[in-house]
Amino acid sequence: MRRIAGIVLAVLLIGGVVAAVVAGRNEDDKGTATKTVRMVIGSEKAEYFSDPAVVKALAAKGYTVKAETSGSWAMEGLDLEGYDLAFPSSQAPAVELASRYKVHGTLPRPFYSPLVVVAHRSAAQVLAANGLATLDTAHRGVLKMSAYVAAAEQDRTWQQLKGADKYGELGGTLFISSTDPESSNSGALYLAAASYVANGGRVVASKGELDKTEPLLKKLVSVQGAQQSSSDAVFRDFVSGAGNPLVWVYESQVASLLTGGQKPDDLVVLYPDTTVNSDHTVVPLTDNGKALAELLSTDPQLRKLAVRHGFRPQGAASEFASDTTYLKQELTGVRQAPVPTSAVLHEMARRARG
């Protein structure tokens, strides 16, 4: 009888252990179960969503993200059936997408980034010496947009600027490189900022104002030759030393580079005194997309990680812990120009490309 009782007790104990393990597994499965969210994003956010820390933070909230990249304006030509959200780099294409997919209500804007000009040190010093820029530090300054627009209208060359003859890399027409405005958000916002200055500090809104600013915008684009559709590619070329000495990029790209430990001695960040913000705007297409957009806006860990990738969270400038040798923490002295409607920007880009 003792032997039988011992066998029964052993069986019960083993059964209890198995039950506990199964229960534990069920609890673990319940705790780590995730909803998969499919989205299409601007390429400048690819590193953020592929960051293991972001992946982990989203998983802790129950989400797995599958992101595909596209030019923000090119998203309008995509079939977004089956996606949970679209995440272009500014409000205008987002509003267009929301209208197409009948998304109502305020569109979430978790973070933003002003557009800046990155310059090689030689170029920045020459611009400063000729009244086109001012330098606050060896790596940061302000681009005077009215002076730059006037120089572009006059087809000025580097050789016409005093001090440029000391630098063999500065030659030909003075211009800023940007992405293709017909497919890329940053390129379109370059035209938005330049047209605002050329239109006397007013946002372009009518055919007459489009006609007025068209010659300048054509010059700004045609002088560049072939343009890339990705802001990432343009910035990588600059950092590698290739291409033009002045490039229009997102501040977030520079901030991310600095956070990663790179501090290029030849890099100067010029904040245009009139620029535009890239408001990264979510178009939720499903309930899961809407919930994820809310998380990106409100979750403290995800906001902190957005800062690590160079983005400025909405509603709290103090969260942007920038390297003030290169970047401005507060955007004082920088005027934010309103952005034209999607229809006007499209027409502006079409005319500029000619």
Side-chain angles (χ1 to χ4, degrees):
M1 289 296 292
R2 287 180 181 176
R3 186 177 298 172
I4 292 172
I7 292 171
V8 170
L9 182 59
V11 169
L12 289 173
L13 284 172
I14 292 171
V17 170
V18 170
V21 169
V22 170
R25 284 178 181 169
N26 287 339
E27 286 300 313
D28 287 344
D29 289 344
K30 184 178 179 181
T32 58
T34 60
K35 299 174 183 177
T36 298
V37 177
R38 289 189 66 204
M39 61 185 183
V40 58
I41 62 173
S43 61
E44 68 292 324
K45 292 185 284 290
E47 288 189 4
Y48 173 72
F49 283 106
S50 63
D51 183 340
V54 173
V55 173
K56 182 179 179 181
L58 288 171
K61 297 294 183 179
Y63 292 94
T64 296
V65 165
K66 290 187 177 180
E68 300 170 29
T69 60
S70 167
S72 293
W73 290 99
M75 287 183 196
E76 293 182 18
L78 300 178
D79 180 2
L80 297 180
E81 288 299 325
Y83 287 88
D84 294 287
L85 64 87
F87 201 175
S89 303
S90 70
Q91 198 169 12
V95 168
E96 193 73 16
L97 287 168
S99 175
R100 176 181 302 178
Y101 289 93
K102 296 180 173 52
V103 177
H104 304 293
T106 302
L107 298 177
R109 291 182 289 165
F111 42 73
Y112 68 99
S113 179
L115 275 297
V116 299
V117 174
V118 288
H120 294 307
R121 178 178 287 182
S122 57
Q125 289 176 340
V126 169
L127 292 178
N130 287 269
L132 291 155
T134 58
L135 298 179
D136 305 323
T137 73
H139 297 288
R140 191 191 73 217
V142 173
L143 178 70
K144 298 181 179 180
M145 278 294 282
S146 293
Y148 168 69
V149 165
E153 288 175 328
Q154 297 161 15
D155 299 313
R156 292 185 75 180
T157 64
W158 284 105
Q159 289 89 336
Q160 292 173 327
L161 302 181
K162 64 182 180 182
D165 56 340
K166 295 188 296 185
Y167 306 103
E169 69 273 21
L170 299 181
T173 304
L174 168 66
F175 69 92
I176 295 170
S177 288
S178 69
T179 52
D180 181 350
E182 288 194 292
S183 62
S184 171
N185 179 65
S186 60
L189 294 184
Y190 176 44
L191 299 187
S195 66
Y196 182 83
V197 173
N199 196 39
R202 297 184 304 275
V203 65
V204 172
S206 67
K207 182 182 181 302
E209 291 170 330
L210 279 166
D211 293 341
K212 175 185 174 182
T213 56
E214 180 179 340
L216 167 69
L217 302 186
K218 272 188 173 179
K219 281 187 177 184
L220 296 179
V221 170
S222 63
V223 71
Q224 298 184 46
Q227 292 176 292
Q228 300 195 65
S229 60
S230 165
S231 56
D232 274 356
V234 172
F235 186 60
R236 283 196 303 268
D237 284 350
F238 176 85
V239 172
S240 70
N244 196 47
L246 301 173
V247 182
W248 181 264
V249 301
Y250 298 105
E251 179 197 54
S252 58
Q253 293 172 289
V254 183
S256 180
L257 181 80
L258 299 173
T259 302
Q262 296 188 56
K263 309 244 181 189
D265 189 55
D266 190 42
L267 171 65
V268 179
V269 182
L270 298 176
Y271 286 79
D273 57 12
T274 299
T275 189
V276 288
N277 276 345
S278 175
D279 287 313
H280 295 268
T281 306
V282 178
V283 183
L285 303 171
T286 66
D287 288 342
N288 281 346
K290 186 174 182 180
L292 182 64
E294 178 69 17
L295 268 180
L296 294 172
S297 299
T298 60
D299 182 75
Q301 180 64 12
L302 289 169
R303 286 173 68 92
K304 188 180 297 183
L305 289 167
V307 171
R308 192 167 85 181
H309 283 270
F311 301 110
R312 293 175 179 258
Q314 291 286 0
S318 60
E319 290 183 36
F320 185 68
S322 66
D323 182 327
T324 54
T325 303
Y326 291 83
L327 303 175
K328 287 177 174 282
Q329 185 167 42
E330 300 288 341
L331 295 173
T332 52
V334 177
R335 183 179 187 182
Q336 300 299 321
V339 177
T341 64
S342 177
V344 170
L345 266 181
H346 273 300
E347 177 63 13
M348 194 179 283
R350 186 192 67 78
R351 292 188 183 201
R353 293 282 290 168

